[in-house]
Amino acid sequence: MKDKTIKRILVFFFAISAVLIAVAVRAVLNINRSMDSADWVNHTHSVILEIEGLRSDLALADGAMHTFVLTGDARDQGAARSALASVSDHVEIAKALTRQEPDQNAQVTQIEAMVDKHTTYVRDVMEAKQAGSADPLRTLLADDSGRSAVQEIAQKIKRLKDDEMALLTKRDTASYLQAQTTRWTVWTGVVLDVLLLGGVIWLIRDDISARQRATDTLKEANEQLETKVQERTAELVATNTKLSSENLERRWSNQALEHQLRYNHLIINAITDLVFVVTKPLNVSRINPAVVHQSGYELGDLVDKPIQRIVRLAEAPGAGQAMFDPIARALNDGRDLQGPGILTDKQNRSIPVRFNLYPLRDKDKVVGGVVILQIAGPAA
């Protein structure tokens, strides 16, 4: 009788396990689909953001161009050129984002062609204004192609945005349906498991009467077990005390490391030499205040930008142009590099410096480097 009950209970548990596995597999598949849908939703938002930025910068460039025509202020001209550069960046990013979407990519390509044409128009107007050519400037301004081009581009952008919003709605609907499927799958599994557990409980209750005969034997075993539990408890207390001491030592070690890192940051910020911390691809990740003071660049201007943007090695006379960047080659080889260099500050002045590169390693792997510049002379 007892063996038959155990077999029945095992059958129920196998059934419960099968339901749990099926629910888990189905839920994981739905979750993966939901994650894919979420990625597509984020991708669609990114496309919308880029085309909105394109439209905004295009309007900014057009407004700056007209302001420059009225005022002749070089700052307005610079603002127009900067806006045009941003427009170009937005177009390139939008093309990359829609590479897997032929219809949207074709629309972006059309917008790119129209933007290039309008960019040429804006530059022609600014060149005519800068050259003081009144007649060509008057002819360009009288031509309504600039305003018409902006309107056509805006219409193209609106059409592309509408398409992306339609895709977004479709993907949101798919995500909702997948979430609903996951919810119903989980609840169905829960109900089935509850029913199966109810059957197991009924079998266990039916078997309790047979297990009462083992009560006396269990009492004796419990007395022996209590002695073992007391011994084990004493061992656990001793082990707990030891672990507490180890945890305290580990916290002290972590605090000492944090204090050392803080002291290192204070020392770097206090020295007068210019310090750049760079990643292995030579992108700036950190600078000290001396860099800001000497170059005029803030951390936000340089972070994630190549250090070669403002620092380079001085060329040896008659050496010619190197085929490879010696700074990148030295960091890749994991060796120090010193020599004369040039720092270009925010005012585009060239400042002679003493260039020092020291690789940073994690075990045997080069993960970045530290560049230290010592001012060698007055700005050029």
Side-chain angles (χ1 to χ4, degrees):
M1 181 66 179
K2 184 177 179 181
D3 292 339
K4 187 176 181 181
T5 301
I6 292 176
K7 290 180 181 179
R8 290 177 179 176
I9 292 175
L10 289 176
V11 170
F12 273 101
F13 274 113
F14 282 135
I16 292 172
S17 300
V19 172
L20 287 175
I21 292 173
V23 170
V25 170
R26 184 65 179 176
V28 169
L29 291 175
N30 287 334
I31 289 172
N32 289 335
R33 294 192 186 101
S34 297
M35 292 175 64
D36 292 339
S37 297
D39 290 340
W40 274 110
V41 169
N42 293 334
H43 174 270
T44 305
H45 280 299
S46 298
V47 174
I48 294 173
L49 183 63
E50 290 301 326
I51 60 178
E52 284 295 332
L54 188 156
R55 177 163 57 184
S56 176
D57 288 337
L58 187 65
L60 181 62
D62 199 59
M65 179 267 290
H66 285 89
T67 304
F68 174 66
V69 170
L70 295 174
T71 64
D73 192 337
R75 290 175 296 181
D76 295 325
Q77 185 182 22
R81 290 177 176 173
S82 176
L84 290 176
S86 297
V87 168
S88 178
D89 292 341
H90 286 304
V91 170
E92 292 301 323
I93 295 174
K95 286 177 63 179
L97 290 173
T98 58
R99 188 176 292 113
Q100 304 300 325
E101 301 172 347
D103 294 340
Q104 285 74 16
N105 189 262
Q107 295 184 54
V108 173
T109 302
Q110 294 176 2
I111 293 173
E112 180 184 24
M114 299 171 67
V115 166
D116 290 341
K117 182 177 179 181
H118 186 66
T119 299
T120 302
Y121 169 77
V122 171
R123 288 174 177 169
D124 289 343
V125 171
M126 291 193 297
E127 288 176 0
K129 174 63 179 179
Q130 191 173 14
S133 304
D135 291 338
L137 178 61
R138 190 178 298 108
T139 301
L140 287 170
L141 293 176
D143 185 7
D144 195 36
S145 60
R147 186 176 300 277
S148 299
V150 171
Q151 293 176 351
E152 291 178 5
I153 294 172
Q155 291 175 356
K156 288 284 186 180
I157 290 174
K158 183 178 182 304
R159 187 177 301 111
L160 177 57
K161 182 179 178 180
D162 291 341
D163 292 345
E164 291 295 328
M165 291 300 295
L167 284 175
L168 186 61
T169 301
K170 180 179 178 181
R171 290 162 182 167
D172 282 337
T173 302
S175 298
Y176 173 78
L177 292 177
Q178 289 165 0
Q180 286 290 95
T181 302
T182 303
R183 187 178 297 110
W184 281 109
T185 300
V186 171
W187 277 113
T188 301
V190 168
V191 171
L192 288 175
D193 281 343
V194 168
L195 293 175
L196 292 171
L197 285 173
V200 171
I201 292 172
W202 179 81
L203 287 175
I204 292 174
R205 290 185 60 185
D206 187 60
D207 193 57
I208 286 177
S209 58
R211 297 181 179 274
Q212 292 297 326
R213 294 189 298 268
T215 301
D216 296 336
T217 305
L218 288 176
K219 286 181 179 180
E220 182 180 354
N222 285 336
E223 292 176 357
Q224 298 176 359
L225 181 61
E226 184 176 356
T227 302
K228 293 181 180 180
V229 167
Q230 291 176 354
E231 295 174 354
R232 183 59 177 164
T233 301
E235 294 176 0
L236 289 175
V237 170
T239 304
N240 225 4
T241 304
K242 183 179 178 181
L243 288 176
S244 298
S245 300
E246 292 177 354
N247 288 336
L248 182 59
E249 293 175 357
R250 189 177 295 110
R251 286 201 301 270
W252 287 346
S253 176
N254 290 336
Q255 289 176 358
L257 180 59
E258 291 176 359
H259 291 163
Q260 185 62 43
L261 290 174
R262 185 159 60 250
Y263 294 152
N264 290 341
H265 290 165
L266 291 174
I267 291 171
I268 291 174
N269 290 339
I271 64 177
T272 57
D273 291 338
L274 282 66
V275 179
F276 298 80
V277 180
V278 297
T279 60
K280 191 170 183 181
L282 287 174
N283 293 330
V284 177
S285 64
R286 187 175 181 271
I287 61 176
N288 70 339
V291 175
V292 179
H293 175 74
Q294 186 66 43
S295 68
Y297 286 104
E298 297 291 339
L299 176 61
D301 301 328
L302 300 178
V303 69
D304 290 335
K305 302 296 191 304
I307 192 173
Q308 296 93 329
R309 176 181 176 184
I310 66 169
V311 178
R312 60 182 175 85
L313 290 175
E315 296 181 356
Q321 186 177 7
M323 295 180 63
F324 303 98
D325 184 357
I327 302 176
R329 185 166 51 189
L331 187 60
N332 188 60
D333 294 341
R335 57 183 173 84
D336 297 351
L337 180 64
Q338 293 87 29
I342 300 297
L343 169 69
T344 303
D345 64 9
K346 199 168 185 178
Q347 285 73 37
N348 205 28
R349 295 177 299 180
S350 297
I351 302 173
V353 295
R354 178 67 181 175
F355 180 92
N356 300 274
L357 169 66
Y358 303 99
L360 295 176
R361 291 180 173 86
D362 183 3
K363 296 181 180 179
D364 295 332
K365 183 179 180 182
V366 176
V367 297
V370 176
V371 175
I372 300 177
L373 305 181
Q374 299 168 332
I375 301 302

